[in-house]
């Protein structure tokens, strides 16, 4: 029995939004939740203490990148991923499938697995579902993801169907190979942008009785309304008593729309990536701090935010740091963006608990679409 239990405490009467708790080996996670991404066993520019300070309950690391560098065996020998990066709260590792399949020019897919070359030095590797489980068990995250085949956008029906079928066969192999009892293994729903395939995939994986389910192959270039439509189609076929994880999605609008459609977990590099380029989330929309109009602006990044950055630094100062190429600039914008999303998710949980999720969503968008 995997040490993973999910409780649904409350469901919104007007939408599919729900409030829950995910019990994992390294602690409980209140859902819906956003997970900061620590690709290389670190969230860029952020220390573990800072992640805790801003309310991070669970973070994500990347199997593909850690497999290539420094290697899963080294991490296992040094006590596992939690000890390696000094993080005592839950961790999720993705399977690396998305990264492998994004290497379209340097990989070959076979039924047995995927042959690919490292983007670092061109070294050749062969990754199977069984080997992927071995890697993720060595890393020791609380949640591991099944190895899947992600379809691109656009994608014709035959290719999407073939990738989905392989994903299902690989999911069965992952279940057979996975043995670590303190680690939950989640399946991944695929099917590209075809309703019948998505529904078929959701049903097939539900029958396999995973502890939780990822929804992959979305947010890969398609218009957002298409993603929302796919979520609406599959939600009735996703087990109510299992957590639902929309992979690679993390803009404020998508978080709200995803929660409304029954999603419990999200992750994305967007918050820290745009932060390093000088763009921040605010209650009135995105703000590009590099712009000249902020050169003498003494206001905080967001006047409604109480994070450490907004309490202590002005737009003018942060703009100066970004223009000067100072590392502190990227640290401050990253801290703020992650705080913004994590506290937004806290507000969403509170709104669901108080039966006012729809009102919260409408109020958020009314302000967020303004000019900061």
């Amino acid at each position: 029995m995997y040490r993973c239990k999910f409780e649904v405490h409350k469901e919104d009467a007007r939408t599919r939004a729900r409030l829950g708790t995910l019990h994992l080996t390294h602690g409980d996670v209140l859902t819906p939740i956003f997970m900061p991404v620590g690709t290389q066993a670190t969230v860029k520019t952020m220390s573990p203490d800072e992640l805790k300070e801003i309310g991070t309950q669970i973070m994500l690391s990347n199997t593909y990148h850690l497999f290539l560098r420094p290697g899963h065996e080294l991490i296992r020998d040094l006590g596992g991923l939690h000890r390696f990066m000094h993080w005592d709260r839950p961790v999720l590792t993705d399977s690396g499938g998305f990264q492998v399949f994004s290497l379209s020019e340097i990989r070959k897919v076979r039924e047995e697995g995927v042959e690919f070359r490292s983007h670092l030095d061109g070294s050749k590797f062969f990754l199977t579902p069984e080997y992927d489980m071995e890697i993720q068990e060595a890393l020791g995250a609380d949640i591991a993801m099944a190895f899947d085949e992600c379809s691109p956008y656009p994608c014709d029906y035959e290719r999407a169907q073939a990738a989905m079928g392989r994903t299902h066969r690989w999911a069965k192999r992952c279940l057979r190979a996975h043995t670590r009892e303190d680690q939950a293994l989640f399946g991944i729903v695929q099917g590209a942008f075809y309703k019948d395939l998505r529904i078929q995939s959701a049903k097939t994986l539900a029958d396999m009785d995973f502890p939780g389910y990822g929804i992959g192959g979305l947010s890969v270039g398609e218009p957002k309304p298409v993603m929302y439509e796919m979520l609406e189609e599959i939600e009735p076929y996703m087990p109510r008593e299992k957590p639902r994880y929309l992979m690679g999605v993390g803009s404020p609008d998508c978080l709200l729309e995803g929660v409304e459609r029954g999603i419990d977990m999200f992750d994305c590099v967007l918050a820290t990536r745009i932060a390093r380029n000088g763009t921040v989330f605010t209650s009135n929309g995105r703000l590009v701090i590099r712009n000249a109009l902020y050169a003498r602006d003494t206001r905080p990044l967001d006047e409604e935010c109480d994070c450490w950055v907004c309490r202590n630094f002005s737009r003018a100062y942060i703009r100066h740091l970004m223009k000067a190429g100072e590392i502190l600039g990227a640290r401050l914008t990253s801290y703020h963006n992650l705080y913004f999303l994590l506290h937004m998710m806290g507000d969403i949980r509170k709104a669901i608990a108080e039966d006012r999720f729809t009102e919260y969503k409408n109020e958020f968008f009314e302000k967020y679409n303004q000019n900061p």
Side-chain angles (χ1 to χ4, degrees):
M1 179 67 67
Y2 296 126
R3 297 178 190 173
C4 172
K5 181 182 177 183
F6 183 62
E7 298 178 273
V8 178
H9 304 303
K10 188 178 182 65
E11 294 175 286
D12 185 60
R14 289 173 287 176
T15 70
R16 298 171 183 176
R18 54 204 215 145
L19 194 67
T21 301
L22 178 59
H23 303 282
L24 298 167
T25 298
H26 286 87
D28 293 346
V29 176
L30 304 178
T31 64
I33 188 64
F34 172 78
M35 302 179 285
V37 177
T39 302
Q40 307 272 10
T42 177
V43 177
K44 284 184 170 56
T45 78
M46 299 285 290
S47 72
D49 285 347
E50 288 171 329
L51 290 172
K52 291 181 179 180
E53 185 176 279
I54 63 175
T56 303
Q57 300 183 63
I58 177 174
M59 64 176 286
L60 179 146
S61 283
N62 185 271
T63 296
Y64 167 83
H65 288 283
L66 295 177
F67 165 66
L68 294 180
R69 180 178 57 191
H72 61 289
E73 293 175 339
L74 182 148
I75 292 175
R76 179 200 61 205
D77 293 347
L78 294 179
L81 194 53
H82 290 86
R83 181 175 294 180
F84 186 59
M85 62 181 177
H86 189 59
W87 179 253
D88 59 3
R89 294 182 181 181
V91 176
L92 180 151
T93 47
D94 62 12
S95 69
F98 177 81
Q99 286 72 31
V100 168
F101 289 104
S102 68
L103 304 171
S104 57
E105 301 302 318
I106 50 176
R107 52 93 171 156
K108 296 178 181 178
V109 183
R110 301 201 296 270
E111 185 62 27
E112 181 61 23
V114 182
E115 180 183 289
F116 68 96
R117 291 188 179 276
S118 165
H119 71 286
L120 297 174
D121 60 10
S123 299
K124 187 183 292 186
F125 297 96
F126 189 67
L127 190 59
T128 66
E130 292 79 9
Y131 191 26
D132 196 278
M133 292 300 95
E134 179 184 328
I135 295 167
Q136 291 193 71
E137 289 193 9
L139 294 175
D142 298 71
I143 300 174
M145 302 302 297
F147 192 53
D148 63 324
E149 182 174 353
C150 180
S151 301
Y153 179 83
C155 177
D156 63 47
Y157 189 90
E158 289 71 22
R159 182 175 180 184
Q161 188 176 39
M164 180 196 70
R166 187 173 287 117
T167 291
H168 296 166
R169 294 189 294 275
W170 285 358
K172 292 178 181 178
R173 290 167 58 185
C174 287
L175 279 171
R176 289 195 296 267
H178 188 263
T179 61
R180 187 161 181 164
E181 294 188 354
D182 61 348
Q183 181 182 71
L185 175 63
F186 282 21
I188 301 178
V189 175
Q190 288 290 349
F193 303 93
Y194 299 98
K195 296 177 184 179
D196 62 325
L197 295 182
R198 282 285 173 181
I199 292 172
Q200 180 184 343
S201 186
K203 288 180 175 180
T204 300
L205 288 166
D207 288 341
M208 295 185 199
D209 196 28
F210 283 93
Y213 296 90
I215 302 170
L218 295 178
S219 191
V220 291
E222 79 282 3
K224 290 180 181 179
V226 174
M227 175 174 70
Y228 303 151
E229 182 182 11
M230 293 299 106
L231 294 178
E232 289 169 4
E233 289 293 331
I234 65 173
E235 191 275 339
Y237 304 96
M238 303 287 286
R240 176 190 175 275
E241 72 281 4
K242 303 291 182 69
R244 305 159 180 168
Y245 163 31
L246 180 55
M247 306 176 73
V249 171
S251 62
D253 56 334
C254 288
L255 295 178
L256 279 163
E257 298 290 352
V259 168
E260 185 174 62
R261 291 162 174 82
I263 299 300
D264 306 299
M265 303 166 66
F266 304 83
D267 84 282
C268 193
V269 297
L270 177 71
T272 48
R273 178 173 290 167
I274 65 172
R276 297 193 300 276
N277 292 322
T279 298
V280 294
F281 300 127
T282 79
S283 54
N284 294 316
R286 292 193 189 189
L287 182 151
V288 182
I289 197 62
R290 289 177 174 273
N291 289 350
L293 72 157
Y294 303 119
R296 293 178 175 272
D297 195 331
T298 58
R299 293 176 295 170
L301 293 174
D302 184 352
E303 292 180 285
E304 297 186 22
C305 179
D306 65 351
C307 78
W308 175 74
V309 175
C310 288
R311 293 198 313 269
N312 291 283
F313 302 101
S314 68
R315 295 179 179 185
Y317 178 65
I318 296 173
R319 178 183 183 272
H320 156 68
L321 294 177
M322 299 301 294
K323 297 293 286 185
E326 288 289 344
I327 294 173
L328 180 59
R331 281 177 44 75
L332 297 182
T333 53
S334 297
Y335 185 109
H336 168 81
N337 275 359
L338 290 175
Y339 181 98
F340 183 92
L341 293 184
L342 290 168
H343 281 256
M344 172 187 163
M345 297 307 290
D347 290 341
I348 288 173
R349 293 193 295 271
K350 187 171 186 289
I352 296 172
E354 297 174 353
D355 292 315
R356 55 179 186 85
F357 172 75
T358 299
E359 289 78 7
Y360 171 83
K361 179 189 172 190
N362 292 338
E363 291 166 5
F364 180 91
F365 279 126
E366 185 176 350
K367 291 172 55 179
Y368 192 73
N369 292 326
Q370 296 176 10
N371 190 329

